[in-house]
Amino acid sequence: RGGLIIFWLLFWLLNTIDKLIMKEVTLWVGKDRLSQLTTYFSSIGLENVMIPKITLTIIGLLEFVALVFFTISLYYYINKNLKKARHMFFLGILTSIVIFSFFAIGDQVFGERAELLEHSIYWTSSILSWYIFSHSYQEKIGK
């Protein structure tokens, strides 16, 4: 369980950092997501520069929320409060599924088939992580 929490915590930490550092710097190769989203929205006729900015802000906030849920889950897990750790892990997984669903819809709209495969794998991995977390053979979580 701890490994799953740490995996998703690090996953969202790095994704959040990627939204903040959108260029190549020492020890980091960022991607300019704003330019990417601007190109995507332009491809379907939406030229307003605020649309990609608002979209990127919403994505960044959701990713930060997922990071917070997994951080709190790890805190409870370390302190052996498995019931609260499970609840926070569930909220983190639920947020992850919302994010990956949002991405998958965008991938369909913008015709990004490779990204669709990637986001579908993450979506499935999120559900699988929840199943493994909930059904692991460690100490059972009280109801």
Side-chain angles (χ1 to χ4, degrees):
R1 290 179 182 156
L4 286 169
I5 297 170
I6 290 170
F7 170 82
W8 286 110
L9 187 151
L10 291 175
F11 181 90
W12 290 119
L13 174 65
L14 294 173
N15 273 280
T16 301
I17 291 170
D18 189 49
K19 300 301 178 291
L20 299 173
I21 304 174
M22 298 192 312
K23 60 183 179 182
E24 189 171 330
V25 296
T26 305
L27 301 177
W28 188 264
V29 180
K31 186 172 185 179
D32 188 353
R33 301 285 180 189
L34 187 57
S35 294
Q36 182 183 23
L37 286 174
T38 301
T39 302
Y40 286 164
F41 282 110
S42 293
S43 74
I44 60 170
L46 297 173
E47 302 289 337
N48 186 337
V49 295
M50 289 307 294
I51 294 172
K53 288 180 181 179
I54 291 169
T55 302
L56 189 61
T57 301
I58 292 168
I59 291 167
L61 288 173
L62 283 172
E63 290 179 352
F64 181 73
V65 167
L67 171 63
V68 168
F69 285 142
F70 288 117
T71 302
I72 295 169
S73 179
L74 182 62
Y75 170 80
Y76 284 131
Y77 183 79
I78 289 169
N79 289 297
K80 308 226 184 292
N81 188 336
L82 294 180
K83 187 174 183 180
K84 287 186 178 181
R86 180 179 191 246
H87 179 68
M88 288 294 116
F89 188 80
F90 172 76
L91 292 176
I93 290 296
L94 184 62
T95 305
S96 299
I97 289 170
V98 167
I99 293 167
F100 295 132
S101 296
F102 184 64
F103 287 163
I105 291 167
D107 296 337
Q108 285 287 340
V109 170
F110 301 124
E112 284 289 333
R113 300 301 176 244
E115 296 252 351
L116 177 60
L117 175 61
E118 175 186 333
H119 294 131
S120 298
I121 291 169
Y122 286 136
W123 192 90
T124 304
S125 297
S126 298
I127 293 172
L128 186 59
S129 293
W130 173 247
Y131 180 82
I132 293 168
F133 188 91
S134 296
H135 294 87
S136 65
Y137 293 104
Q138 293 181 7
E139 177 183 335
K140 295 294 179 192
I141 298 171
K143 296 182 181 182

